[in-house]
Amino acid sequence: MKRNALSELAVDFEETVEKTLETRSAYREINNTNDYFIERDGVHYAGDHLLLELWEAVNLDDPATIEKALLQGAGDAGATVLHSHFHHFSPYGGVSGVVVLAESHISIHTWPEKAYAAIDIFMCGKCDPRDALASIEAMFRPGTMDVQEIRRGVVK
Amino acid sequence: MKRNALSELAVDFEETVEKTLETRSAYREINNTNDYFIERDGVHYAGDHLLLELWEAVNLDDPATIEKALLQGAGDAGATVLHSHFHHFSPYGGVSGVVVLAESHISIHTWPEKAYAAIDIFMCGKCDPRDALASIEAMFRPGTMDVQEIRRGVVK
């Protein structure tokens, strides 16, 4: 690993934890009596998690348009957005971000210099993460997009 | 889906997007010239993503201790924490949270009433997500913990 400005972030770990937790006066309480576990094809489980691998993709270096695409995807799937947070790395322009949903989350990490992005869409309950794919494909126009589907929380 | 207080959150989608984006005056820029792609066993790829399924687990309803365990796991793996955000659901006490790392992310969604949690640990570069497992097992003491390992960004 090359030494660079990132090392400035690598402050003492205990200090990071203390700083993070002391600014947390209270956790946001959300009233939610939904079960979210679902039954599909005779399987009782928490939800579907899609792992996307996008190659030869575009628009990977613009956090504003990326955030908008993911929020649009969340909305298309009928999910409820609780929080959204994005970082922009320089000089290559990579973006890391996450949208926390009442139904789980969407995350993205991009490498514009490789035209690659790793995106996760994990949605529980009645939301279908596949409904978020259209806005993602429209935004990033990948040459190839592999989608791996994993069922989470399968009750045995 | 039962109608409950969650519906109060389900405001008009466009309004949510507008509100989220208008509060974003600027995205945090982080100088980072690391490549993060790695070579292991002759495979060139972005990083390892662990999907954990914890059952018969404890301490699933306390966001402060959960956040501390995940930050500890990130530190144990030598990762750099950029952002951390957690929600607490009532009345069942479920927790949803994410820790955004310079090396990708850790996420958690818990269902205390089912003693179940879905945790993701995705780390790129030289960080090994397996190094984060000890603090997670110590905190949640699961009866069973399935770990699925997925390589992300495999260059073909």
Side-chain angles (χ1 to χ4, degrees), chain A:
Chain A
M1 191 186 289
K2 280 178 278 183
R3 285 195 62 78
N4 55 36
L6 185 65
S7 60
E8 292 168 16
L9 288 169
V11 294
D12 175 71
F13 173 65
E14 291 300 329
E15 193 186 313
T16 303
V17 172
E18 287 311 311
K19 211 186 307 174
T20 303
L21 296 179
E22 82 192 8
T23 59
R24 189 86 74 243
S25 58
Y27 289 85
R28 189 174 164 203
E29 292 278 342
I30 295 171
N31 193 292
N32 186 355
T33 55
N34 290 337
D35 176 336
Y36 283 118
F37 269 61
I38 45 173
E39 182 109 17
R40 265 183 210 146
D41 313 323
V43 181
H44 189 60
Y45 67 111
D48 289 311
H49 186 154
L50 308 186
L51 292 93
L52 316 184
E53 305 280 303
L54 285 71
W55 293 98
E56 302 155 59
V58 298
N59 295 326
L60 297 176
D61 60 353
D62 179 351
T65 55
I66 290 175
E67 181 169 15
K68 196 160 187 175
L70 298 195
L71 291 173
Q72 180 69 51
D76 290 345
T80 303
V81 174
L82 300 180
H83 176 74
S84 178
H85 188 88
F86 285 73
H87 280 277
H88 197 197
F89 299 96
S90 58
Y92 300 138
V95 172
S96 265
V98 68
V99 178
V100 180
L101 309 170
E103 298 82 5
S104 290
H105 71 265
I106 302 177
S107 65
I108 186 165
H109 305 284
T110 77
W111 284 258
E113 73 278 20
K114 294 183 193 291
Y116 166 73
I119 301 178
D120 285 48
I121 315 173
F122 178 16
M123 291 186 184
C124 296
K126 292 189 177 174
C127 293
D128 188 338
R130 294 161 200 85
D131 293 338
L133 293 177
S135 73
I136 287 170
E137 289 198 80
M139 176 58 66
F140 302 113
R141 302 195 297 277
T144 66
M145 183 170 84
D146 296 326
V147 182
Q148 198 168 165
E149 299 188 13
I150 294 178
R151 285 189 166 168
R152 305 296 297 263
V154 175
V155 178
K156 290 168 186 170

Side-chain angles (χ1 to χ4, degrees), chain B residues 120-139:
Chain B
D120 285 48
I121 315 174
F122 178 16
M123 290 185 185
C124 295
K126 292 191 176 173
C127 293
D128 188 338
R130 294 160 200 87
D131 293 337
L133 293 177
S135 73
I136 287 170
E137 289 198 81
M139 175 59 67

Side-chain angles (χ1 to χ4, degrees), chain B:
Chain B
M1 190 187 288
K2 280 180 279 186
R3 284 194 62 78
N4 56 36
L6 185 65
S7 59
E8 292 168 16
L9 288 168
V11 293
D12 175 71
F13 173 65
E14 291 299 330
E15 193 185 314
T16 303
V17 173
E18 287 310 311
K19 211 186 307 176
T20 303
L21 296 180
E22 82 192 9
T23 60
R24 188 88 72 241
S25 58
Y27 290 84
R28 189 174 165 202
E29 290 279 342
I30 294 172
N31 192 291
N32 187 355
T33 54
N34 289 338
D35 176 337
Y36 283 119
F37 269 62
I38 45 175
E39 181 107 20
R40 265 183 210 146
D41 314 323
V43 182
H44 189 59
Y45 66 111
D48 290 311
H49 186 154
L50 308 186
L51 291 93
L52 315 183
E53 305 279 303
L54 284 71
W55 293 98
E56 303 156 59
V58 299
N59 295 325
L60 297 175
D61 60 353
D62 179 351
T65 56
I66 290 174
E67 182 170 15
K68 196 161 187 175
L70 298 196
L71 291 173
Q72 179 69 50
D76 291 346
T80 303
V81 174
L82 299 180
H83 175 74
S84 177
H85 188 89
F86 285 72
H87 281 277
H88 197 198
F89 298 97
S90 59
Y92 300 137
V95 172
S96 265
V98 68
V99 178
V100 180
L101 309 171
E103 297 81 7
S104 290
H105 72 267
I106 303 177
S107 65
I108 186 166
H109 305 284
T110 76
W111 284 257
E113 73 278 20
K114 295 184 192 289
Y116 166 73
I119 301 178
D120 285 48
I121 315 174
F122 178 16
M123 290 185 185
C124 295
K126 292 191 176 173
C127 293
D128 188 338
R130 294 160 200 87
D131 293 337
L133 293 177
S135 73
I136 287 170
E137 289 198 81
M139 175 59 67
F140 301 113
R141 301 195 297 278
T144 64
M145 182 169 86
D146 297 325
V147 181
Q148 198 169 164
E149 299 187 14
I150 294 178
R151 285 189 167 166
R152 304 295 298 263
V154 175
V155 178
K156 291 168 186 169

